[in-house]
């Protein structure tokens, strides 16, 4: 895979321009659904927010949805202990709620009424955030880890890749138990092959990317 050096800001501009050229989703609906996938140290939120800002300057309505806002309650995700790799891979994120609250409303004929988050992992309580109604032409950017293994209907997907060494260096000591989970995600899901665009960010100051799909 050929990767070219680029800045995060220029990358966000290119992503925004690419999305702004589209008026319909792959399924014919009027809303576009975008993923920025990557392990927590990859900083998916930074690229998502930069791209959202660039889209807003173009007059597009955008909602950024962090996957962290759809964690399951602690009683569910920690049922098998605080460091269970299988539970982290399969049970920490409420994918059913993401389908129901984010993707279903954006299907053709949907309402466009999206819930930006559901659960606060710090307080372990419902966020009670209000729904946001995206007008036709609006864009949702979902960002966070493990997004590409659930058949979510993304119209554009970006995977921010870290080598195993870089991921280990940039993962906090208390979170290093998740490293085997990301090794399995890479082996079983192969997000670099599944994504439309791949970003290599071993050095976050000097990212490189594969460019945009034709």
């Amino acid at each position: 895979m050929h990767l070219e050096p680029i800045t995060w800001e220029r990358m966000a501009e290119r992503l925004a321009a690419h999305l702004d050229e589209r008026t319909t989703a792959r399924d014919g609906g009027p809303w576009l659904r975008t993923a920025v996938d990557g392990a927590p140290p990859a900083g998916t939120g930074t690229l998502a927010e930069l791209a959202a800002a660039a889209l807003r300057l173009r007059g597009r309505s955008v909602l950024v949805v962090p996957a962290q806002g759809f964690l399951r309650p602690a009683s569910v995700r920690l049922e098998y202990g605080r460091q269970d790799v299988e539970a982290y891979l399969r049970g920490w994120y409420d994918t059913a709620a993401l389908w129901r609250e984010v993707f279903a409303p954006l299907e053709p004929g949907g309402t466009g009424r999206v819930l930006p988050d559901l659960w606060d992992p710090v307080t372990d309580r419902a966020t009670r955030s209000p729904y946001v109604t995206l007008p036709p032409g609006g864009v949702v950017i979902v960002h966070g880890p493990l997004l590409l293994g659930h058949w979510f209907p993304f119209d554009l997907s970006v995977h921010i890749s870290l080598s195993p060494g870089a991921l280990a260096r940039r993962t906090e000591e208390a979170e290093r138990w998740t490293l085997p989970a990301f090794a399995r995600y890479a082996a079983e899901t192969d997000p670099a092959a599944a994504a439309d665009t791949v970003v290599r960010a071993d050095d976050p100051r000097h990212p490189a990317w594969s460019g945009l799909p034709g």
Side-chain angles (χ1 to χ4, degrees), residues 7 12 16 20 28 38 58 61 63 73 77 82 90 96 113 121 123-124 132 148 152 160 165 169 184 188 200-201 214:
T7 65
D20 196 35
R58 289 169 165 79
S61 295
L63 178 64
R77 68 179 189 272
R82 292 183 176 274
R90 311 297 180 199
R113 188 170 176 264
T123 63
D124 199 36
V132 176
L148 301 182
F152 291 140
I160 303 179
R169 289 193 301 273
R184 279 185 53 186
E188 296 171 8
R200 176 57 66 89

Side-chain angles (χ1 to χ4, degrees), residues 66-125:
Q68 192 76 4
F70 284 84
L71 281 172
R72 295 180 185 275
S75 60
V76 176
R77 68 179 189 272
L78 305 181
E79 180 181 1
Y80 300 102
R82 292 183 176 274
Q83 299 186 358
D84 187 277
V85 170
E86 183 67 26
Y88 182 75
L89 275 170
R90 311 297 180 199
W92 272 47
Y93 292 90
D94 194 340
T95 55
L98 275 167
W99 274 104
R100 182 181 68 249
E101 304 291 357
V102 178
F103 295 107
L106 303 181
E107 293 176 349
T111 63
R113 188 170 176 264
V114 176
L115 189 65
D117 52 53
L118 181 64
W119 200 260
D120 185 335
V122 176
T123 63
D124 199 36
R125 298 187 181 199

